[in-house]
């Protein structure tokens, strides 16, 4: 346990919760597909912050850095594929509105 | 941990939350993408403060760099055609950011004058354990990363390949 970082745990965890909530707000209340992707990115940022905080508090930064690198790789692939889907949806429907994606509606 | 480090940590985390809220609440998509890049850059500074420099470098180069480029490309590719007079308004908006350069220069001069600098340490010994963990203990993670990268590449290729085929087919159908 790294004693120097223990007092920071609560403020940083609250900040991570605020970032997570703002991302969730962005996803739930927006109909723009790009803005939904930005919300997903904010969720990932909050998780990254919590992982780094956990590494600093427990003193095992090397394992957490390895996990964060894996998380970043997954994040960039997800965003790239999702951006391709958004561009395809725009070319198909002429809009990036999530409500316009009704092709699979039964 | 010095008093300057304590203030820097609280300032960084406060700025991170403010940048995240600005990213969500700003009405323009381009500003949201830039706000996300700012969040990534601030998170990088937090990582450096928390003795995680390698993750910080990844965060800065991939998230603040590559993902911002992906977002800006997506926004520009899905933007509707501009109306008349947009270029003049855009030129006027560019000049509105000129005071920002002065503010950044003033903050930099103030930090330089007070002798304050972020105490960023890059211990060489930190990298070796990360390499050992990544290559020895977390080999399954690496395998997963490779699979995910391939899936992503093939996904993007297939998405755009179908689009091109459909374009060629529709062009042939329209031809007399």
């Amino acid at each position: 346990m790294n004693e120097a970082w223990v007092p920071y745990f609560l403020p940083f965890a609250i900040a991570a919760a605020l970032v997570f909530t703002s991302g969730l707000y962005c996803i739930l209340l927006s109909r723009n597909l790009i803005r939904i992707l930005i919300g997903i990115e904010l969720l990932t940022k909050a998780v990254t912050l919590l992982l780094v905080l956990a590494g600093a508090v427990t003193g095992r930064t090397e394992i957490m850095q390895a996990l964060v690198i894996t998380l970043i790789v997954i994040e960039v692939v997800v965003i790239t594929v999702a951006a391709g889907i958004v561009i395809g949806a725009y070319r198909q429907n002429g809009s990036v509105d999530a409500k316009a994606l009704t092709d699979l509606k039964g | 941990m010095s008093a300057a480090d304590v203030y820097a940590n609280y300032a960084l985390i406060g700025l991170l939350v403010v940048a995240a809220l600005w990213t969500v609440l700003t009405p323009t998509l381009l500003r949201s993408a830039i706000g996300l890049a700012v969040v990534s850059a601030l998170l990088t500074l937090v990582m450096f403060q928390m003795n995680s420099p390698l993750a910080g470098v990844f965060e800065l180069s991939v998230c603040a760099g590559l993902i911002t480029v992906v977002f800006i490309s997506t926004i520009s590719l899905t933007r509707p055609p501009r109306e008349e007079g947009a270029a003049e308004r855009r030129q006027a908006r560019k000049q509105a950011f000129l005071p920002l350069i002065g503010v950044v220069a003033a903050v930099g001069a103030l930090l330089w004058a007070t002798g304050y600098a972020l105490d960023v340490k890059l211990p060489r010994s930190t990298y070796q354990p990360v390499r050992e963990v990544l290559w020895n203990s977390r080999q399954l993670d690496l395998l997963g990363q490779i699979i995910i990268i391939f899936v992503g590449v093939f996904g993007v290729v297939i998405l755009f390949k179908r689009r091109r085929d459909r374009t060629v087919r529709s062009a042939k159908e329209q031809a007399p």
Side-chain angles (χ1 to χ4, degrees), chain A residues 8-96:
Chain A
Y8 290 102
F9 184 78
L10 193 60
F12 275 54
I14 291 171
L18 284 173
V19 175
F20 192 89
T21 312
S22 62
L24 211 56
Y25 172 86
C26 193
I27 290 173
L28 292 177
L29 294 187
S30 177
R31 285 167 44 181
N32 189 309
L33 291 172
I34 299 173
R35 207 171 275 278
I36 290 172
L37 287 188
I38 289 174
I40 293 170
E41 268 288 297
L42 282 176
L43 297 186
T44 320
K45 300 289 170 223
V47 174
T48 309
L49 179 60
L50 276 180
L51 278 177
V52 176
L53 177 65
V57 170
T58 57
R60 306 185 70 181
T61 52
E62 62 277 2
I63 295 178
M64 286 307 162
Q65 287 189 79
L67 280 178
V68 167
I69 290 168
T70 307
L71 177 68
I72 289 171
V73 170
I74 294 170
E75 176 186 350
V76 72
V77 171
V78 166
I79 291 299
T80 308
V81 174
I85 292 172
V86 169
I87 293 169
Y90 177 76
R91 287 177 177 166
Q92 182 79 25
N93 301 318
S95 162
V96 287

Side-chain angles (χ1 to χ4, degrees), chain B residues 22-35:
Chain B
W22 186 72
T23 302
V24 172
L25 297 177
T26 188
T28 318
L29 278 175
L30 200 57
R31 287 184 191 172
S32 283
I34 293 168

Side-chain angles (χ1 to χ4, degrees), chain B residues 99-114:
Chain B
L100 187 66
I101 299 170
V103 171
V104 172
V107 171
L110 188 68
L111 289 176
W112 181 73
T114 54

Side-chain angles (χ1 to χ4, degrees), chain B residues 55-136:
Chain B
V57 169
F58 261 81
E59 176 77 25
L60 188 65
S61 57
V62 176
C63 294
L66 180 63
I67 290 184
T68 306
V69 170
V70 169
F71 270 122
I72 291 176
S73 305
T74 309
I75 291 167
S76 63
L77 284 171
T78 57
R79 182 181 286 178
R82 294 194 187 99
E83 71 273 21
E84 293 294 323
E88 288 81 9
R89 283 202 298 276
R90 206 167 53 249
Q91 185 65 31
R93 275 187 212 147
K94 272 183 192 169
Q95 294 173 356
F97 285 101
L98 284 177
L100 187 66
I101 299 170
V103 171
V104 172
V107 171
L110 188 68
L111 289 176
W112 181 73
T114 54
Y116 177 77
L118 281 177
D119 189 18
V120 178
K121 299 182 188 69
L122 290 172
R124 293 184 65 82
S125 60
T126 308
Y127 294 114
Q128 195 58 34
V130 177
R131 281 189 194 140
E132 283 172 6
V133 167
L134 203 57
W135 289 104
N136 298 334

